[in-house]
Amino acid sequence: MNLSNLDVKAFLEELASGSPAPGGGSAAALAGAIAAALCGMVARLTLGREKLRDAWPAMEAAATEADRLRARFAGLVDEDAEAYLAMAAARKLPKATEEERSARARAVSCASLCAARVPLETLLLASQAAVLAAGVLERGNPSCLTDAGSAVQAVRLAAEAAAYNVKVNLPAITDQAERARLARETDAALRSVRAECERLAGEVDRRLEAACAP
């Protein structure tokens, strides 16, 4: 699929259509891409501001990292939809005989494993995006406070939605060790992102309250 090449309106129409893909996993990756793009914006709006010169090296690095994450998240938009379609195709395999049922079960398990690994990558990238958001929030242009804060919330959405899409695929994975590993990795990454986003959102709230104080 070439979802990442669609304009915003066309992508939203595709998302709203009766097709099951793209779905929540692709939306999670898109949220991550939005978070990375906002971080890149804050970094670039810091560069060139003389009063913020000390932050320029860090913001140059942040802009580069934001571009890397944005590109990978965009790729995952397509990969998640493709993984779902592969799983759906496996579930449609014939199951009239014992041999067919066995082959179908193996295919479903394999496709489900892929369908879980893709959103897990989205979740792990969201963890990296949280670190990036922390950097631009703490050292970026103060005028971009709410843009950095919006990046934090987009990271949180990406992580939560990605975790859902990992977990929904776990029951069909027959490799018990791999299923347990994926569950552990998902839970650990999600806890980390939640904690960091909660901390960063609190910082945004505190700074906004201070700015609005009489």
Side-chain angles (χ1 to χ4, degrees):
M1 305 183 81
N2 291 303
L3 298 169
S4 58
N5 292 326
L6 298 177
D7 62 32
V8 174
K9 181 179 179 182
F11 179 83
L12 292 176
E13 288 176 349
E14 187 68 25
L15 193 62
S17 74
S19 171
S26 293
L30 178 61
I34 290 171
L38 284 166
C39 288
M41 169 192 168
V42 175
R44 290 184 172 94
L45 286 174
T46 305
L47 297 172
R49 275 37 177 205
E50 284 297 328
K51 292 182 179 179
L52 302 171
R53 177 178 285 275
D54 288 349
W56 289 3
M59 291 302 101
E60 287 176 354
T64 298
E65 175 68 355
D67 290 346
R68 181 189 73 82
L69 288 174
R70 177 165 51 88
R72 185 63 194 123
F73 275 125
L76 288 166
V77 171
D78 283 322
E79 290 178 30
D80 194 275
E82 290 163 0
Y84 174 83
L85 293 174
M87 185 185 66
R91 290 188 179 280
K92 292 179 181 178
L93 291 173
K95 50 181 178 178
T97 67
E98 185 61 35
E99 185 175 286
E100 287 178 344
R101 285 191 290 273
S102 179
R104 177 183 178 276
R106 289 193 299 271
V108 168
S109 178
C110 182
S112 296
L113 182 58
C114 180
R117 284 174 173 167
V118 174
L120 177 57
E121 183 178 352
T122 297
L123 174 54
L124 295 175
L125 282 180
S127 183
Q128 296 176 37
V131 174
L132 180 64
V136 299
L137 176 61
E138 291 163 7
R139 302 204 63 191
N141 190 331
S143 298
C144 299
L145 172 63
T146 55
D147 301 298
S150 296
V152 171
Q153 298 300 343
V155 167
R156 178 147 44 188
L157 170 57
E160 296 284 355
Y164 285 156
N165 283 274
V166 176
K167 292 178 180 180
V168 74
N169 287 294
L170 296 181
I173 298 172
T174 55
D175 184 332
Q176 298 296 317
E178 183 64 7
R179 184 166 71 183
R181 185 192 68 79
L182 290 170
R184 287 194 304 271
E185 196 167 354
T186 297
D187 289 342
L190 185 57
R191 282 195 302 270
S192 176
V193 174
R194 280 174 172 169
E196 182 65 350
C197 287
E198 188 67 23
R199 182 184 75 82
L200 296 174
E203 176 63 20
V204 173
D205 288 341
R206 284 189 292 273
R207 287 164 64 175
L208 285 173
E209 288 169 5
C212 295

